[in-house]
Amino acid sequence: MSKRDRDRLAAAGGTAPVVQIAAMVIGAVFLVFGVAGFIPGITSDYDELSWAGHRSGALLLGVFAVSILHNLVHLAFGVAGLVFARSAATAKTYLLWGGAGYALLWLYGLAIDHHGPLNFVPVNSADNWLHLGLAVTMIASGVLLGRLAIQPDRP
C-alpha cells in the first residue's frame, strides 16, 4: 500500500499509520496539560499565576512552572498536533519540528537565569528535564514512526 493510499485509508476511518496516532496522542496530552494549567488544585499556587515571566509562581502538578502564556502555548501545540495528525507526512513534520522546538526550549532553559527577566516563558529545572524528554521522544517518534509510514510498497 502506498503512502497516499494509507493517508486516504486513515482519512476514511481505516487504520491510521502509527506516526499519525503518535502525533494525535501527543497533541491530546498537550491539550490536557494546557487545560490543567488553568485548574486550581492541579496547579498549585494558582493565585500566583501571571501572564508570563519568572514571577509567575504557579506550578502545574506542584512541579512545573507555568504562566497563562505557557498554558496557551500548550493548548495551541495540542491543537496543532491534532490538525497535523490528519496525514502521515504532516504528523511526521509536527513531531520533528515540535521536537526541535522543544530541544531549543531545553537549551534556552539551560542558558538563562531562572530568576531573571529572560525567563519569560517561565521555565524551571523540572521543565528543562521535561523539555529534553519531549524533544527526544518527538524527534525519535518522527524519525522512526515516520519511516514506517512512508516505506515504499513491498511485493
Side-chain angles (χ1 to χ4, degrees):
M1 181 182 302
S2 72
K3 176 187 169 308
R4 187 177 191 184
D5 291 337
R6 282 190 297 267
D7 285 347
R8 278 195 202 137
L9 176 64
T15 304
V18 70
V19 70
Q20 288 176 261
I21 296 168
M24 192 179 317
V25 167
I26 289 171
V29 169
F30 275 109
L31 283 174
V32 167
F33 282 99
V35 169
F38 289 113
I39 300 174
I42 296 175
T43 299
S44 60
D45 301 317
Y46 187 80
D47 57 326
E48 295 180 33
L49 183 70
S50 66
W51 170 249
H54 66 282
R55 290 194 174 99
S56 183
L59 296 171
L60 179 61
L61 303 175
V63 178
F64 303 103
V66 291
S67 66
I68 295 169
L69 175 63
H70 203 150
N71 293 335
L72 292 175
V73 168
H74 287 153
L75 290 170
F77 206 72
V79 169
L82 298 179
V83 170
F84 279 77
R86 294 178 68 185
S87 81
T90 58
K92 179 180 177 180
T93 299
Y94 169 79
L95 292 169
L96 292 175
W97 284 103
Y102 273 96
L104 290 174
L105 190 55
W106 170 65
L107 292 172
Y108 162 80
L110 293 178
I112 62 160
D113 174 10
H114 290 176
H115 303 289
L118 291 179
N119 191 9
F120 66 90
V121 174
V123 295
N124 61 18
S125 294
D127 288 304
N128 288 343
W129 284 106
L130 179 62
H131 295 153
L132 175 60
L134 285 168
V136 170
T137 300
M138 291 179 76
I139 291 169
S141 296
V143 169
L144 299 174
L145 301 177
R147 192 175 295 149
L148 291 174
I150 59 172
Q151 286 180 349
D153 291 337
R154 293 183 184 167

